[in-house]
Amino acid sequence: MSLALTTRDGVAVLTIDRQDALNALNFGLIAELSRLLDTVPGMGVRALLITGAGDKAFCAGADIKELMDRGLMAQRRGAEAGQRAFARIADLEIPSVALINGYAFGGGLEMALACSFRLAVPTAKMGLPEIKLGLIPGYGGTQRLPRLVGEGRALEMIMTGRTVDAAEAERIGLVNRVLAGDAPMAEALAFLGEMTCYGLPALALAKQAVSRALDLPVHEGLKVEADLSTLAYRTEDAAEGLAAFVEKRKPSFRDR
Ligand code: CO8
């Protein structure tokens, strides 16, 4: 079994389990990943968590052995399939987190970049080492990394292929935080719990507004924000949240 999708505390937990290849993504696994991701919106969960099986790797990237001796069109289709799989993560309405529990290289880091958040164990190692193979990232890394850490840092990582440890990743904003490390899954679920207690409509609208910010000029983004914040105001949850504040009680959101 190379992928498992379970639920824990109302969170979908997707585990990549191909430990003999450090959880590297072959094309079959990417197809299965896409199929499973399509089922997540129907699972009734409030967040998605992606991690790697074992304690060595989150995911060591595309399966290098499978990349040899391929035609150009097959290679292009492969890149597009990986991009589409990771776009499914980015496009989810619920928050997603990559629990980086070891190596996250190449396509593995690109999968983490498609998540809303990245949490790393203290021993995690990350990088886009494609340049060392004579390649460049093909599963979204050249587009998502600069948006996260800025052009200079992204280019440095991509052009040197160098490995970044967890402490540096936190410093440059590549990961949201470094976990204590003794119970990473529990810590990651607690991190998600800080947002999954709120209403799903507001969470989805916030996610959508921020993701649009990266694509639009500020004046257009502000219009999107005005539209989406007005939409949030029309939800039952907003009426409940405002009333609960005034009545000095805890709100009871119903995802409506
Ligand atoms: N693909 C296939 N097998 C892998 C991969 C990989 N990415 N990474 C590790 N493995 C295998 C090794 O070959 C080894 O198998 P075996 O025991 O049969 O020889 C096993 O996993 C264990 O690996 P190591 O012995 O190397 O373990 P170490 O702890 O010594 O080293 C490293 C760990 C540093 C992570 C090392 O394995 C490594 O450098 N791996 C490659 C990392 C890498 O370069 N990733 C980027 C791949 S390219 C990519 O992701 C491009 C994506 C977009 C392309 C578009 C596609 C269409």
Side-chain angles (χ1 to χ4, degrees):
M1 182 180 59
S2 43
L3 279 175
L5 183 61
T6 57
T7 46
R8 206 167 143 177
D9 299 350
V11 172
V13 176
L14 183 66
T15 307
I16 304 154
D17 190 354
R18 204 180 155 227
Q19 295 181 58
D20 55 343
L22 300 182
N23 301 328
L25 302 167
N26 56 29
F27 291 116
L29 206 150
I30 284 176
E32 178 64 1
L33 179 69
S34 291
R35 197 190 64 73
L36 284 180
L37 286 168
D38 281 344
T39 69
V40 170
M43 287 174 73
V45 290
R46 305 185 79 75
L48 168 70
L49 183 152
I50 303 180
T51 196
D55 55 9
K56 214 171 161 195
F58 172 74
C59 169
D63 188 312
I64 297 173
K65 293 162 194 167
E66 209 184 45
L67 290 181
M68 296 176 74
D69 300 323
R70 285 160 58 79
L72 282 185
M73 289 314 289
Q75 183 63 9
R76 186 181 172 97
R77 279 195 298 274
E80 287 169 350
Q83 289 181 354
R84 277 197 304 272
F86 295 173
R88 285 174 160 89
I89 301 170
D91 292 345
L92 285 171
E93 291 196 327
I94 52 174
S96 54
V97 69
L99 171 49
I100 303 175
N101 58 318
Y103 299 121
F105 287 125
L109 182 58
E110 292 173 295
M111 179 164 55
L113 289 171
C115 293
S116 324
F117 310 102
R118 286 143 295 283
L119 304 173
V121 300
T123 52
K125 300 265 187 288
M126 287 149 264
L128 292 177
E130 286 88 342
I131 201 87
K132 297 179 185 172
L133 303 167
L135 297 171
I136 71 166
Y139 290 162
T142 64
Q143 304 305 302
R144 292 198 174 100
L145 186 62
R147 284 171 160 83
L148 197 60
V149 302
E151 181 186 350
R153 286 186 171 122
L155 264 182
E156 182 190 332
M157 281 181 67
I158 291 167
M159 294 176 101
T160 65
R162 96 179 158 79
T163 297
V164 169
D165 65 20
E168 181 180 359
E170 186 179 37
R171 186 172 56 74
I172 66 175
L174 177 54
V175 302
N176 291 74
R177 59 185 77 158
V178 181
L179 303 173
D182 30 2
M185 177 61 78
E187 268 190 86
L189 291 171
F191 172 88
L192 284 171
E194 286 181 41
M195 55 195 91
T196 54
C197 54
Y198 299 116
L200 290 181
L203 289 172
L205 291 167
K207 191 169 185 276
Q208 198 183 328
V210 171
S211 78
R212 297 295 299 276
L214 302 172
D215 300 331
L216 295 173
V218 170
H219 67 281
E220 284 181 37
L222 288 172
K223 277 191 221 144
V224 169
E225 183 188 79
D227 289 344
L228 296 182
S229 63
T230 308
L231 208 54
Y233 181 74
R234 286 178 59 93
T235 61
E236 287 181 26
D237 281 348
E240 164 65 7
L242 296 170
F245 178 84
V246 171
E247 293 161 18
K248 297 186 188 302
R249 61 175 173 80
K250 208 169 170 300
S252 175
F253 295 122
R254 298 168 67 192
D255 300 332
R256 293 209 284 236

